[in-house]
Amino acid sequence: MSSFVIKSIGNALNATSLISSKYASKKALNLFASPRKGRYTEAQTKIIDSALFEELSYQGQSIAVYRWKGNGKTVLLAHGWESNASRWSYILNDLKAQSYNIIALDAPAHGRSDGKQCNAILYSEFINIVAKKYQPEIVIGHSVGGMATVFFMHNYQLSSVKKLVLLGAPAHFTGVFSRYKSMMGYNNRISKGLDNIVIERFGKPVDYFSAANFTKTIEAEGLIIHDKKDRIIPFEDGQLFANRYKNSKFIETNGFGHGLKDESLTPKIIEFING
């Protein structure tokens, strides 16, 4: 969406909040949690066509799972916002060359998975269902997939997981929410209303959901990669992860952006997960 459209929507909801702040806040949260893209294009479908496809389930929602069988350790891949399992095409061949047993899933409301809305908490439950079945030794998560991976490990402490790779992951929900509020230009009524809805739905305030803080409970070894010029998730988030996640290594890049798909990073990821 263009900045004009974004601000127009924000202004409309601000006006609505004068009549009912709760209604406007719910609309704002629905907008926040509704991906505009992430379903498969024809080209993306070709990437995952070579995989074995399976559907698992969480509370009646179908989870799309893709498997490329290998004889080695199992690695689970969790993509980011408005993406899908095809985003891993740049690293699939390298993982196959190492004989990894590769599992990838689509997030809620993404790819072939069910749903119309997505958030890191729900995504973490999807990851847990898949991880419990396949018992991966390694989990690699990009962006919100990285945050959801940390939520999953914090809540379930799956013993099979020995290593985590977090690519451009948000360190805390407060920052994600604040950037959304700022982008939309929401007034204080909606801003406070959004915070209240989070407490109502999840039983905790927004600042509780800090992936960086949650890493303190994780024993698995971590590799954190974040780009200094990431325009989606600030570089400071990567630094915060590095400071809080004691059993981790931090790689900072310059110019690879939020996607972090540069081929120079793949050997470093392979070396880490092979170690």
Side-chain angles (χ1 to χ4, degrees):
M1 287 187 287
S2 69
S3 58
F4 174 76
V5 173
I6 290 170
K7 292 299 182 184
S8 296
I9 294 172
N11 289 337
L13 287 176
N14 285 339
T16 303
S17 73
L18 298 174
I19 301 170
S20 174
S21 60
K22 190 163 188 176
Y23 175 82
S25 298
K26 284 184 177 180
K27 287 291 186 182
L29 187 61
N30 287 341
L31 182 62
F32 170 78
S34 301
R36 293 173 292 121
K37 57 183 180 179
R39 299 300 185 183
Y40 284 99
T41 64
E42 185 176 344
Q44 290 172 337
T45 300
K46 293 178 182 178
I47 295 169
I48 48 93
D49 272 349
S50 60
L52 295 171
F53 177 68
E54 182 178 6
E55 289 184 316
L56 301 180
S57 179
Y58 173 73
Q59 294 187 351
Q61 284 190 292
S62 175
I63 307 170
V65 182
Y66 309 88
R67 291 191 292 152
W68 292 268
K69 287 186 175 181
N71 298 320
K73 294 178 181 178
T74 297
V75 55
L76 175 60
L77 307 175
H79 67 78
W81 184 254
E82 293 186 338
S83 184
N84 51 55
S86 72
R87 73 97 53 202
W88 301 108
S89 61
Y90 74 100
I91 199 173
L92 278 177
N93 287 336
D94 295 273
L95 292 173
K96 290 175 183 177
Q98 299 286 322
S99 295
Y100 274 98
N101 185 43
I102 306 163
I103 312 292
L105 79 156
D106 289 329
H110 291 76
R112 293 175 178 170
S113 287
D114 279 348
K116 294 183 178 180
Q117 295 194 337
C118 180
N119 60 66
I121 299 169
L122 177 59
Y123 195 179
S124 72
E125 298 294 344
F126 273 39
I127 292 171
N128 178 53
I129 294 294
V130 178
K132 277 171 61 178
K133 174 164 185 176
Y134 292 106
Q135 298 289 309
E137 287 90 349
I138 302 111
V139 185
I140 303 177
H142 174 247
S143 193
V144 70
M147 174 181 265
T149 293
V150 173
F151 286 3
F152 144 69
M153 282 298 292
H154 171 71
N155 289 327
Y156 296 101
Q157 301 289 333
L158 189 66
S159 60
S160 71
V161 179
K162 305 302 180 185
K163 296 192 177 183
L164 299 181
V165 181
L166 307 179
L167 305 170
H172 45 78
F173 195 55
T174 302
V176 175
F177 231 24
S178 295
R179 289 188 291 275
Y180 170 64
K181 293 173 183 177
S182 177
M183 179 184 72
M184 301 299 295
Y186 290 139
N187 60 26
N188 287 334
R189 290 184 184 86
I190 294 180
S191 182
K192 292 178 180 178
L194 285 168
D195 293 344
N196 289 336
I197 292 173
V198 170
I199 294 175
E200 289 174 7
R201 291 189 182 180
F202 303 110
K204 301 286 185 181
V206 174
D207 59 8
Y208 168 79
F209 297 100
S210 168
N213 286 342
F214 288 169
T215 59
K216 295 177 181 178
T217 68
I218 297 174
E219 294 183 4
E221 186 180 353
L223 176 63
I224 301 152
I225 305 178
H226 215 109
D227 195 80
K228 289 183 176 180
K229 296 181 180 178
D230 190 327
R231 295 183 179 181
I232 307 298
I233 306 299
F235 178 65
E236 289 74 18
D237 283 39
Q239 292 176 309
L240 188 59
F241 266 120
N243 289 334
R244 302 285 171 84
Y245 196 164
K246 298 306 179 184
N247 189 23
S248 71
K249 175 184 177 182
F250 183 41
I251 296 178
E252 56 183 62
T253 62
N254 193 352
F256 297 163
H258 183 58
L260 293 170
K261 291 184 178 181
D262 193 88
E263 61 182 15
S264 67
L265 290 176
T266 300
K268 296 178 181 179
I269 293 172
I270 297 292
E271 179 183 7
F272 171 74
I273 64 178
N274 279 347

